[in-house]
Amino acid sequence: MTLVHIVLFKFRPEITEEHKQRFVTELKQLKSLPCVKSGRLLVGGPSVTDPIERSKGFQIALVSYHENQAALAEYQASKEHHDVTSTYMFPYKEDLVRFDFEVDEEDEYMCEFPVLGS
């Protein structure tokens, strides 16, 4: 089974682009956690949605893959995740949306990733 974790981040208006970029850099480091399936964690932004209003002001998105709910819970409980979110996000956020879902069995083949670095 694969569990997909999606988070959209919106920072308060006074938060600098430098701070947001540092947040992105730190988030990307979380892909090395063993609870992230095959190191699959993507961070992106800004939105290129047209028209931009459909992005509802969200500035950064994260998508990560995990073997199951236990692996996602391990990811969320990790010191590394806590450090990134408590240092660069929670004190500065305006809004956050999180959506997690289990991949249907018939779609699981799309989540079979080759081993990275081979």
Side-chain angles (χ1 to χ4, degrees):
M1 177 187 77
T2 300
L3 192 135
V4 179
H5 173 63
I6 303 168
V7 186
L8 301 176
F9 304 97
K10 184 188 307 183
F11 286 91
R12 294 192 318 263
E14 70 272 16
I15 304 308
T16 66
E17 289 303 315
E18 291 80 15
H19 179 88
K20 291 180 226 174
Q21 194 53 51
R22 178 62 188 241
F23 176 59
V24 167
T25 299
E26 296 297 325
L27 274 179
K28 287 181 177 185
Q29 301 305 310
L30 299 178
K31 70 177 66 177
S32 65
L33 294 174
C35 48
V36 175
K37 186 175 184 175
S38 300
R40 301 299 180 176
L41 181 146
L42 303 165
V43 182
S47 175
V48 295
T49 301
D50 184 24
I52 193 65
E53 294 78 21
R54 291 190 177 163
S55 294
K56 305 286 186 186
F58 287 94
Q59 302 150 332
I60 298 167
L62 175 140
V63 177
S64 60
Y65 296 80
H66 307 271
E67 283 293 333
N68 50 39
Q69 289 184 349
L72 177 60
E74 180 183 338
Y75 166 80
Q76 302 241 270
S78 71
K79 177 188 181 316
E80 294 86 350
H81 182 272
H82 173 76
D83 290 348
V84 170
T85 57
S86 64
T87 302
Y88 299 102
M89 196 268 300
F90 284 124
Y92 307 99
K93 78 174 177 73
E94 179 177 317
D95 200 2
L96 177 143
V97 174
R98 175 179 163 186
F99 191 92
D100 307 316
F101 67 94
E102 293 179 352
V103 173
D104 288 338
E105 189 173 328
E106 67 265 18
D107 295 329
E108 187 68 34
Y109 73 94
M110 289 186 266
C111 298
E112 295 173 7
F113 303 113
V115 176
L116 297 176
S118 59

